[in-house]
Amino acid sequence: MLLMQQIVNSRANFVAFVECWIDLFSVFHSPYKFHCRTSPAVLSRQRPLSAGDKLRTVLQGIILLPPRAICIASLVLLAWLLASIATFGHPAKGSVPLKGWRRRMIQTTLSCLTRTLFFVMGFQVKVKGKIAGLLEAPVVVAAPHSSFFDAIISALTGMPSVVSRAENLSTPVFGTILSSIQPVSVSRQDPDSRKNTAAEITKRALSRGQWPQILIFPEGTCTNRSCLITFKQGAFLPGVPVQPVLLRYPNRVDTVTWTWQGYSGTELLLMTLCQLYTRVEVEFLPVHVPTEEEKNDPIIFADRVRQTMATALNVPVTDHTFEDCRLMISAGQLTLPMEAGLVEFTKISKKLNLKWNHVREQLDTFAAIASASKGGRIGIEEFAEYLKLPISDVLRELFLLFDRNGDGTIDFREYVIGLSILCNPANTEETIRMAFKLFDADEDGTVTEEEFAHIIQAALGVPDLDVSVLFKEIDADETKKLSYDEFKNYALTHPVYAKLFTTYLELQRYHSGMLDEDGIESNDSPVKESPVTKNATPGSETTPMARNKVCPEGNDEDYSCTSDKKDD
């Protein structure tokens, strides 16, 4: 019994050690791991271990795991001791760079210990190219980023500074080691963290050698190495020369790739320690000296460096980014397929001026609509059910404006673009007030269900439409009358209706214009006196056509306009 207890305690201690070791190397990656559907490059490509591989891993692990674990623990403790000596009496929080013997101790001893650590774990490291010095390239950018094992670059480049969460600095043992390389700390509690981090990177990169080199993984998250996602601008904001570094893991059994769909960090570490060896190739490309154009535009700078690295790796590039990863995780939490959140956020946000929080809120709405569908996409049935309206010609036309590729469904990207281009611009205070007046036929400041039904039926061309469910949802105070505030609040949170309202209003103006041309007197206010809105009978010539066209065919005057279905 005592022996069993010791075994259990030993195993628990080892697992705790493994988790702490992984936490140390978490500074080299974001807490999110990335994959996407548009390119096979960003899905987990790890094949399940065959029966033979599993047996081989177990047998090798029995022999290799215990001594490797002991050596790793010893090396980590020695690194902690040396880091403590180097940072003893030095100002905390990296406000002053390490100099003299302190920096040399970190660059030599800690770098040597880290190399030894990887050797003990069974890594066979092949280095290509020339490593640039601090003054030649103040910033080192590495890609593709796929694992916490990518920290091997740190040992090869003399323990440069990295970008790390501030919380990591308080971790026992590992926090001291991390502090010795003087990371650029990021605080989640600080609302200005992004700006402060960029400013700190710029300050260090322009310090002319006072601070160590800065190692940055510009993808900002882990991928599976089969493509390069969009680079973040942080490494390129200073406008200084950067050295691109490539990472390859040419192994038959992949035990290093850490993506969302795949093994956990602990599983990867244990499987890697149970391998006889793990090959890694690190290639240092020539230093990229930015042009004046690149210095003035970090986006161009980042894209050109990424293209250079992708060409050398012979892999494609994709416009997906770290924000897509965050949306992907949110989609999974909303029981949508995780790939539903991949919208090429950075690309469309630049064109449509979208903010992250706004798009995240739209994902909640999209999930509510698509929850009953398969594959996380919206069909015409789900679209109509969400709007609590029947499928009509007008609704089909509106749906087609969202369905940009014409496949009969709306994915989240199409939904975001549709709201931004079609609905949100129409959902203004003026439009909402005009629509309310349109419904308020007796001008008493409220809208009854009968008034509401009359306009909706006319707008959709469905004379027998039952709108009671929709009316009750808008009627928040259950008075059976809609106030302007109730109407406005519902319209603001359901901008799709704005497009229906504006389409109807424009059709009213069009029909009023046609009546004027025929010599029939028309009131200036189509809201109150148009034959369409007052005393119109189903099937009459003045009933609005069930078409969702802002400018119906046949009108060549000032009512013409361009299509709302713009390019991305």
Side-chain angles (χ1 to χ4, degrees):
M1 180 63 72
L2 181 60
L3 178 62
M4 285 298 296
Q5 185 65 40
Q6 290 176 343
I7 292 174
V8 170
N9 290 340
S10 298
R11 182 181 182 278
N13 291 335
F14 176 71
V15 170
F17 165 75
V18 166
E19 291 175 347
C20 288
W21 192 87
I22 290 175
D23 185 65
L24 170 65
F25 287 102
S26 68
V27 303
F28 295 101
H29 63 82
S30 106
Y32 304 106
K33 288 85 70 181
F34 188 80
H35 69 283
C36 81
R37 63 182 172 84
T38 56
S39 167
V42 276
L43 288 170
S44 176
R45 297 185 301 174
Q46 291 170 320
R47 294 175 298 176
L49 296 181
S50 65
D53 289 332
K54 290 179 180 178
L55 179 60
R56 190 179 301 108
T57 298
V58 171
L59 293 178
Q60 291 173 171
I62 293 174
I63 301 172
L64 297 174
L65 196 56
R68 281 180 173 175
I70 294 171
C71 291
I72 290 171
S74 302
L75 289 169
V76 169
L77 290 175
L78 182 56
W80 167 79
L81 177 61
L82 295 173
S84 299
I85 296 173
T87 56
F88 180 76
H90 190 267
K93 298 183 180 179
S95 56
V96 179
L98 290 175
K99 297 181 180 179
W101 66 270
R102 296 176 186 269
R103 182 186 289 190
R104 287 195 297 272
M105 176 179 285
I106 296 301
Q107 289 179 328
T108 56
T109 60
L110 207 57
S111 177
C112 181
L113 286 175
T114 306
R115 288 173 180 245
T116 306
L117 178 68
F118 275 90
F119 175 78
V120 167
M121 289 191 295
F123 277 82
Q124 295 182 354
V125 184
K126 182 178 181 180
V127 180
K128 298 180 180 179
K130 178 185 176 182
I131 302 175
L134 170 59
L135 296 178
E136 187 181 0
V139 177
V140 176
V141 292
H145 184 29
S146 62
S147 175
F148 43 81
F149 292 120
D150 295 345
I152 184 62
I153 296 177
S154 188
L156 298 175
T157 52
M159 305 307 293
S161 297
V162 295
V163 179
S164 168
R165 293 174 294 172
E167 296 83 357
N168 290 332
L169 296 174
S170 355
T171 306
V173 179
F174 300 104
T176 303
I177 300 174
L178 178 58
S179 298
S180 69
I181 64 174
Q182 299 198 286
V184 178
S185 60
V186 179
S187 175
R188 292 180 176 179
Q189 285 73 37
D190 184 2
D192 297 323
S193 178
R194 184 186 295 271
K195 181 176 66 176
N196 294 338
T197 300
E200 182 67 17
I201 291 174
T202 301
K203 181 189 79 172
R204 295 192 183 192
L206 298 174
S207 67
R208 297 184 180 275
Q210 293 184 19
W211 289 90
Q213 277 183 312
I214 304 175
L215 170 61
I216 296 177
F217 292 90
E219 291 175 295
T221 187
C222 288
T223 70
N224 67 10
R225 299 188 302 278
S226 54
C227 80
L228 294 183
I229 64 174
T230 301
F231 282 5
K232 295 298 209 178
Q233 299 176 34
F236 308 95
L237 286 172
V240 298
V242 302
Q243 180 168 38
V245 183
L246 308 179
L247 285 155
R248 302 181 182 91
Y249 292 89
N251 300 290
R252 186 183 67 82
V253 178
D254 183 5
T255 63
V256 299
T257 304
W258 194 21
T259 55
W260 187 265
Q261 292 179 333
Y263 298 111
S264 68
T266 303
E267 290 171 334
L268 289 176
L269 179 58
L270 290 175
M271 287 192 298
T272 301
L273 292 178
C274 291
Q275 304 302 314
L276 284 175
Y277 59 88
T278 301
R279 291 194 297 267
V280 55
E281 294 179 0
V282 183
E283 182 177 359
F284 291 84
L285 298 181
V287 174
H288 185 110
V289 180
T291 63
E292 286 302 319
E293 180 187 23
E294 293 169 349
K295 289 179 180 179
N296 296 327
D297 192 337
I299 297 177
I300 295 176
F301 191 2
D303 285 343
R304 288 178 180 170
V305 172
R306 180 176 66 145
Q307 191 57 58
T308 298
M309 299 174 77
T311 301
L313 288 164
N314 194 27
V315 298
V317 297
T318 175
D319 288 326
H320 292 99
T321 60
F322 171 73
E323 284 73 22
D324 289 287
C325 186
R326 295 174 66 190
L327 285 170
M328 178 193 72
I329 295 170
S330 298
Q333 294 170 344
L334 294 170
T335 68
L336 290 172
M338 286 194 292
E339 59 267 23
L342 297 172
V343 298
E344 293 181 326
F345 175 82
T346 297
K347 182 179 178 181
I348 67 172
S349 65
K350 290 175 184 175
K351 294 185 176 182
L352 303 178
N353 194 28
L354 300 177
K355 303 299 182 184
W356 156 257
N357 290 335
H358 185 54
V359 175
R360 177 60 183 80
E361 291 170 359
Q362 291 176 343
L363 180 61
D364 291 335
T365 304
F366 181 85
I369 305 173
S371 59
S373 67
K374 295 181 179 180
R377 301 173 72 88
I378 298 174
I380 184 68
E381 294 81 8
E382 291 82 17
F383 193 67
E385 183 179 354
Y386 168 69
L387 295 176
K388 296 179 175 56
L389 297 173
I391 299 175
S392 62
D393 290 341
V394 173
L395 201 65
R396 286 192 180 93
E397 290 290 339
L398 179 59
F399 183 83
L400 287 175
L401 291 178
F402 277 83
D403 181 15
R404 301 174 68 79
N405 61 1
D407 66 351
T409 62
I410 301 172
D411 62 20
F412 181 53
R413 176 184 170 84
E414 292 172 321
Y415 179 76
V416 170
I417 294 174
L419 287 182
S420 301
I421 293 178
L422 301 173
C423 302
N424 290 333
N427 206 27
T428 63
E429 179 80 25
E430 180 183 1
T431 300
I432 295 172
R433 190 173 296 280
M434 186 177 295
F436 184 78
K437 289 180 179 179
L438 182 72
F439 284 101
D440 184 15
D442 56 8
E443 300 183 354
D444 65 349
T446 60
V447 176
T448 64
E449 184 173 342
E450 182 180 357
E451 292 172 326
F452 184 77
H454 179 71
I455 297 301
I456 293 293
Q457 289 167 355
L460 295 179
V462 184
D464 57 348
L465 173 63
D466 182 6
V467 298
S468 58
V469 175
L470 176 59
F471 184 85
K472 289 178 181 178
E473 184 167 332
I474 304 175
D475 184 19
D477 58 7
E478 299 181 355
T479 59
K480 297 185 179 180
K481 287 187 177 182
L482 304 181
S483 66
Y484 174 71
D485 288 339
E486 288 176 318
F487 186 83
K488 177 182 175 181
N489 291 337
Y490 193 83
L492 290 175
T493 55
H494 296 75
V496 177
Y497 286 103
K499 188 59 184 174
L500 292 174
F501 293 153
T502 54
T503 298
Y504 182 61
L505 291 171
E506 286 159 351
L507 281 173
Q508 294 283 48
R509 296 189 186 100
Y510 168 74
H511 282 288
S512 296
M514 291 296 292
L515 289 174
D516 286 341
E517 291 175 5
D518 292 338
I520 300 176
E521 181 179 358
S522 175
N523 190 291
D524 290 338
S525 173
V527 172
K528 292 293 179 268
E529 299 299 333
S530 169
V532 181
T533 60
K534 196 165 186 175
N535 300 326
T537 57
S540 68
E541 294 180 0
T542 56
T543 301
M545 295 172 288
R547 295 183 299 175
N548 188 18
K549 292 185 178 180
V550 175
C551 306
E553 296 176 2
N555 182 24
D556 296 328
E557 298 184 8
D558 293 338
Y559 307 106
S560 64
C561 66
T562 57
S563 171
D564 280 318
K565 192 168 184 178
K566 302 177 182 178
D567 293 335
D568 288 350

